[in-house]
Amino acid sequence: MSVNITFLGGADTVTGSRFLVRHDGHSLLVDCGLFQGYKQLRLRNWRPLPVVPGQIHAVILTHAHLDHSGYLPVLVREGFHGRVHATAGTRDLCGILLPDSGHIQEEDAAFANRHGFSKHTPALPLYTRRDALDCLGRIHAEPFGQTFQPIRGWRATFTPAGHILGAASLLLEVAGHRILFSGDLGRPDDLLMNPPADPPAADTVLIESTYGDRLHPQEDLLAEFGPALQRLAARGGVAVVPVFAVGRAQAVLHAIAQLKAKGAIPRGLPVFLDSPMAVHTTNLFNQHPDDHRLSARAAQAMAHAATMIETPEQSKALANRHGPMVILAASGMATGGRVLHHLALYAGNRRNMVILTGYQSPGTRGARLAAGESPVRIHGKEVEVAAEVVQLQSASAHADANQLLDWLRKMRGAPDQVYVVHGDMAASDALRQRIEHELKWRAIVPEHGATWPV
């Protein structure tokens, strides 16, 4: 029987990575992500999968970001009872990310119900913290470079992808076919993470394309971030910095530590990390030293670059402080969480600043802020944006278009087929064209829900 892949997510869009591989009556799901951004995408999270969860035999996660792992609590709640394979770093991060995601969804639903701005009565979370905790025991850690069998006769091997702690590319060998999933690839010159390992030979490749139509600027994060914080400190304002709790928060903290050490920004500028998830993730860097390039001393400096805020009471107390100060809070695209309360409080003052730290998916509040929209809707109310909005171009943890092509060029031999996934349509198609024209390889951008043979 043939091997085929159904693109249940991560096709036509940059979120919701879910790739169902089937052969001889067996099914394996590579990534189990949440859709984020436009409402019509987010609604997909509420629709049942076209395959019964109990008929999926195994799941493999390339990394822990919610657009790759965040649907797992639903899958388990709806009947999946197999094993979830991931690296140790991904397992540990899922232990932080997934319960926090469930908790935020419960909080947001409760807030909507209290203030009556939901169209649903009552507003419900997609899943709860309890659902997330219930799925964690299914995650089993697999070492980098060591082949394992997710299904009898199927072989799988993780190689480092950079990007965040535990992030991996995946080589899946099924019925004589070698299928390579790039996962999210990091940058070879990333501030925190090691560069991606060279890809193994494969017959079929699924390559991410988040930055498939863009190149990173020559300017590094310190050169871009420092002047913004200098301006903020000089006018005594408050900077609200939406960050991804995993990866981006730590990169920003590391940059702040370096800027203060060099005297590029005031050493006394108060910085607060208002995200329990980001606080716990920062502490994980000491437990996974092989996954990143920081020395023990640099990791320690990063962990002390901010006052760590964990309780809701501590978060609310920040409103009683005066600037200058910097507040880092999740989520990175301002789609939910504590950052919304800070934006609602500070976005209306032109002395303040909103610093966006990387890619903002279309349809997210972060993308609307980046486009200069005002007002923006937060918790059912229109909030005028008078604060200076700064979008950092150099903070991304994704490989850019040239770096993606360079990674593919390192493959031993040309694959038979490349599927360009996990990108907005413009980015995916731009990368497809470059693969076809520069590498002379067959490449397509699959449609959501499409099934293709391997």
Side-chain angles (χ1 to χ4, degrees):
M1 293 182 66
S2 64
V3 181
N4 62 53
I5 301 175
T6 301
F7 296 86
L8 300 179
D12 292 348
T13 177
V14 78
T15 72
S17 285
R18 306 173 192 171
F19 308 112
L20 186 68
V21 183
R22 288 184 280 202
H23 169 67
D24 195 21
H26 290 92
S27 299
L28 180 144
L29 190 63
V30 177
D31 283 343
C32 189
L34 281 181
F35 288 96
Q36 299 166 316
Y38 290 121
K39 183 177 181 180
Q40 56 265 46
L41 291 176
R42 289 184 278 116
L43 288 173
R44 291 179 183 174
N45 294 322
W46 294 87
R47 297 175 190 148
L49 290 175
V51 57
V52 177
Q55 295 178 357
I56 298 172
H57 296 87
V59 173
I60 301 179
L61 301 180
T62 60
H63 68 288
H65 274 152
L66 290 178
D67 57 340
H68 292 257
S69 75
Y71 190 75
L72 191 61
V74 179
L75 193 77
V76 172
R77 187 187 66 205
E78 298 300 316
F80 172 74
H81 49 76
R83 181 170 285 193
V84 180
H85 302 269
T87 65
T90 296
R91 176 203 59 198
D92 291 351
L93 284 174
C94 282
I96 296 170
L97 276 163
L98 296 180
D100 188 83
S101 172
H103 176 65
I104 287 174
Q105 291 181 58
E106 288 182 280
E107 279 191 334
D108 288 348
F111 190 91
N113 288 327
R114 283 197 307 272
H115 295 270
F117 64 80
S118 174
K119 295 178 182 177
H120 305 281
T121 306
L124 296 173
L126 179 65
Y127 56 86
T128 65
R129 186 173 186 273
R130 182 72 258 167
D131 293 331
L133 291 170
D134 288 344
C135 82
L136 295 178
R138 301 206 166 273
I139 304 178
H140 293 257
E142 308 287 355
F144 282 111
Q146 187 170 308
T147 299
F148 59 95
Q149 289 195 48
I151 297 170
R152 176 175 284 189
W154 297 38
R155 293 163 51 86
T157 312
F158 287 129
T159 54
H163 188 55
I164 64 169
L165 290 178
S169 298
L170 169 68
L171 178 66
L172 186 64
E173 299 174 81
V174 187
H177 297 277
R178 293 167 62 89
I179 311 166
L180 177 61
F181 299 81
S182 72
D184 281 1
L185 292 172
R187 303 168 64 169
D189 56 349
D190 190 84
L191 202 60
L192 294 182
M193 305 307 300
N194 293 322
D198 290 352
D203 307 304
T204 301
V205 178
L206 280 74
I207 179 79
E208 69 117 325
S209 57
T210 308
Y211 276 70
D213 59 349
R214 280 162 291 173
L215 302 180
H216 295 312
Q218 295 297 314
E219 190 176 38
D220 67 16
L221 177 57
L222 299 184
E224 194 177 11
F225 197 25
L229 293 183
Q230 284 176 336
R231 293 197 305 276
L232 177 87
R235 65 188 186 226
V238 177
V240 179
V241 188
V243 288
F244 298 105
V246 177
R248 196 64 49 79
Q250 291 74 40
V252 171
L253 287 176
H254 181 51
I256 288 172
Q258 289 188 301
L259 288 167
K260 285 189 173 183
K262 294 177 179 179
I265 60 175
R267 293 176 189 268
L269 177 64
V271 179
F272 300 91
L273 179 60
D274 186 14
S275 165
M277 184 165 55
V279 171
H280 299 150
T281 298
T282 303
N283 295 332
L284 276 183
F285 272 68
N286 290 321
Q287 299 177 32
H288 296 279
D290 293 339
D291 280 10
H292 60 82
R293 63 172 81 221
L294 297 186
S295 66
R297 184 176 178 180
Q300 194 75 0
M302 176 184 72
H304 289 88
T307 300
M308 302 301 183
I309 303 295
E310 296 205 49
T311 68
E313 292 72 28
Q314 290 173 325
S315 179
K316 291 172 185 174
L318 292 176
N320 299 323
R321 295 183 57 98
H322 299 290
M325 66 175 171
V326 180
I327 302 172
L328 281 60
S331 68
M333 297 185 193
T335 54
R338 292 182 182 179
V339 75
L340 297 186
H341 297 280
H342 298 304
L343 285 171
L345 185 61
Y346 295 113
N349 189 326
R350 63 182 63 255
R351 187 173 60 177
N352 297 334
M353 189 177 284
V354 178
I355 302 178
L356 303 170
T357 57
Y359 179 79
Q360 306 293 313
S361 287
T364 62
R365 195 174 284 102
R368 290 194 286 274
L369 287 165
E373 288 189 22
S374 180
V376 294
R377 195 166 183 81
I378 299 175
H379 292 148
K381 297 180 180 178
E382 300 295 331
V383 175
E384 295 294 334
V385 181
E388 178 186 358
V389 177
V390 176
Q391 185 169 20
L392 303 179
Q393 302 296 327
S394 55
S396 173
H398 283 270
D400 69 13
N402 285 349
Q403 292 163 345
L404 291 169
L405 282 168
D406 288 344
W407 186 79
L408 289 171
R409 285 191 181 97
K410 293 174 182 174
M411 290 188 68
R412 298 189 303 275
D416 298 327
Q417 181 67 58
V418 178
Y419 295 105
V420 183
V421 297
H422 205 270
D424 296 327
M425 184 57 74
S428 294
D429 197 58
L431 186 63
R432 174 196 65 79
Q433 292 184 54
R434 289 193 64 182
I435 291 169
E436 289 184 336
H437 296 157
E438 297 178 34
L439 304 183
K440 311 300 183 186
W441 296 355
R442 289 178 52 192
I444 64 169
V445 179
E447 295 180 356
H448 177 74
T451 298
W452 287 85
V454 171

